[in-house]
Amino acid sequence: MKKSVEKTMLKATEFKPPIKEYPGKIAQVQLGAGSRKPVYLGGQTSLYRFEEPQPNPPIVTFDVFDIPMPGLPRPIREHFSDVMESPGEWAKKAVKDYGANMVTMHLIGTGPKVMDKSPREGAQAVEEVLQAVDVPLVVGGSGDPVKDPLVLEAAAAAADGERCLLASANMDLDYHKVAKSAVDYGHAVLSWAITDVNMQKSLNKYLMKDGLKQEDIVMDPTTCALGYGIEFSIDVITRTRLGGLKGDPDLQMPMSSGTTNAWGSREAWMKKEEWGPTDYRGPLWEIFTGLTLMLNGVDIFMMLHPESVRILREIGETFTKEYLTSPSPNIENWIMELE
């Protein structure tokens, strides 16, 4: 004797995002002043977009260098090979052809083991870019802990009143000089710590003792690329943002990601037929590295590939809109239709 089986359709309940309220607020940092079109970072009162839309969209900034960079991966180099001899033209192409609303100027040529350009020569490259474009600038050195503070000091003076982001201050160099340069010439400072919340807190505290305010600091907790430790960045960035939202004044600043670190991953650039063409693989690696960290609270992204910049910027613009504003589809008959 066969028993009849009666189909029961469970009713779908209304989805309600788990909204949480926080006592703290992330400071808003302005980049760009004087002859620059300003952009704004931070200002959040929540961690996730479904809790509350952000007041300012995440910003994506194009990387530009003061010297030709033949070592860049081909998918990037082919877009800029015609302008690599001139940082001003390089920046202009990033803005006019690819819509950059910020430019990051890397003064690699000042490195003692590169071309050992003087701080004044580095400042001249910054002046060239300032004259070529009207977007805000991030100004970085070569990574040499002895020379970078001198280079950033000269660059800060050359960009007096233009409200640049000086990159960067960290525990391994004379951060007092970097902070003083920012205070003297009206700039903000990138506070860089290596995946350590306590180190980030301490450095921010020292910078504020040197005269900077929350509104003058952007944190860089370090970006580990997709597949190469990104889980460490997710952990530190989320904890840092939550610390600020819970009221820690030493962590209530916007955050930055050196998303170009994704191009150091072999999956982004290595030729391997079964992995597919690098023309797609490289930008995707950069996009997903940035997107992952955007979902955890990062406010500004330093990137290299034009398509990566375009896509991540478009995604970021949705963060200022209400979550789930479109009507939900009726799914009651979906199971029956699939049988």
Side-chain angles (χ1 to χ4, degrees):
M1 179 178 174
K2 288 186 178 180
K3 291 184 178 180
S4 61
V5 178
E6 185 177 343
K7 293 181 179 179
T8 302
M9 186 69 184
L10 297 176
K11 292 288 184 182
T13 58
E14 182 184 357
F15 170 71
K16 293 183 178 179
I19 306 299
K20 186 171 182 179
E21 294 185 0
Y22 304 89
K25 180 180 180 180
I26 305 304
Q28 179 171 274
V29 174
Q30 176 183 336
L31 298 178
S35 61
R36 312 289 99 193
K37 297 176 182 177
V39 299
Y40 298 90
L41 310 176
Q44 296 94 333
T45 56
S46 63
L47 177 62
Y48 298 115
R49 181 166 64 96
F50 64 73
E51 294 175 320
E52 187 176 58
Q54 293 187 185
N56 301 302
I59 297 295
V60 185
T61 169
F62 252 109
D63 281 356
V64 171
F65 301 84
D66 65 331
I67 59 174
M69 298 291 288
L72 288 176
R74 181 195 53 78
I76 299 166
R77 195 174 63 250
E78 65 186 12
H79 290 282
F80 298 103
S81 58
D82 59 326
V83 292
M84 282 188 177
E85 296 292 336
S86 167
E89 290 301 315
W90 197 335
K92 191 182 295 184
K93 186 168 188 177
V95 172
K96 290 191 174 181
D97 292 5
Y98 301 122
N101 47 21
M102 272 196 75
V103 166
T104 298
M105 184 66 195
H106 296 280
L107 300 174
I108 300 297
T110 62
K113 295 181 180 179
V114 185
M115 296 180 69
D116 201 22
K117 290 187 176 184
S118 68
R120 180 57 197 147
E121 288 176 296
Q124 287 172 344
V126 171
E127 290 173 345
E128 180 182 335
V129 172
L130 287 171
Q131 292 173 10
V133 297
D134 62 358
V135 298
L137 262 60
V138 182
V139 182
S142 66
D144 183 82
V146 175
K147 197 168 181 182
D148 273 6
L150 301 173
V151 171
L152 292 177
E153 181 182 42
D160 186 9
E162 298 292 336
R163 190 65 175 169
C164 300
L165 178 62
L166 304 182
S168 61
N170 63 73
M171 293 290 201
D172 294 329
L173 52 69
D174 186 358
Y175 58 82
H176 300 293
K177 184 178 285 293
V178 178
K180 185 177 186 305
S181 299
V183 172
D184 289 348
Y185 299 106
H187 302 298
V189 169
L190 188 70
S191 172
W192 176 43
I194 305 176
T195 57
D196 187 316
V197 178
N198 290 325
M199 183 188 296
Q200 186 75 74
K201 278 172 57 72
S202 297
L203 180 57
N204 293 347
K205 191 177 294 185
Y206 297 154
L207 292 173
M208 287 191 284
K209 282 184 179 179
D210 283 346
L212 295 173
K213 300 175 182 177
Q214 287 181 334
E215 295 79 10
D216 301 319
I217 297 173
V218 177
M219 299 182 289
D220 184 352
T222 302
T223 295
C224 302
L226 178 65
Y228 288 81
I230 198 169
E231 64 274 14
F232 294 108
S233 288
I234 292 170
D235 175 63
V236 170
I237 286 169
T238 305
R239 287 166 54 206
T240 300
R241 177 50 52 90
L242 283 173
L245 291 173
K246 288 178 180 179
D248 189 334
D250 298 327
L251 294 175
Q252 290 177 323
M253 299 88 166
M255 287 183 285
S256 171
S257 163
T259 316
T260 49
N261 288 348
W263 288 94
S265 307
R266 63 179 183 175
E267 289 85 351
W269 56 266
M270 184 181 289
K271 290 183 180 180
K272 201 166 185 179
E273 191 172 338
E274 58 266 37
W275 288 357
T278 55
D279 294 54
Y280 298 104
R281 237 190 310 130
L284 283 171
W285 217 259
E286 191 174 25
I287 290 165
F288 281 104
T289 296
L291 176 58
T292 302
L293 301 184
M294 183 181 285
L295 294 171
N296 289 278
V298 170
D299 301 271
I300 181 170
F301 301 81
M302 301 180 190
M303 302 179 71
L304 274 168
H305 194 281
E307 196 62 15
S308 304
V309 171
R310 183 185 67 81
I311 291 174
L312 202 69
R313 188 175 58 220
E314 287 182 6
I315 295 171
E317 287 171 357
T318 70
F319 277 48
T320 60
K321 300 175 183 177
E322 291 286 345
Y323 186 70
L324 291 178
T325 52
S326 57
S328 301
N330 185 346
I331 63 171
E332 288 187 1
N333 296 322
W334 280 14
I335 294 178
M336 300 301 183
E337 290 173 3
L338 291 172
E339 289 183 344

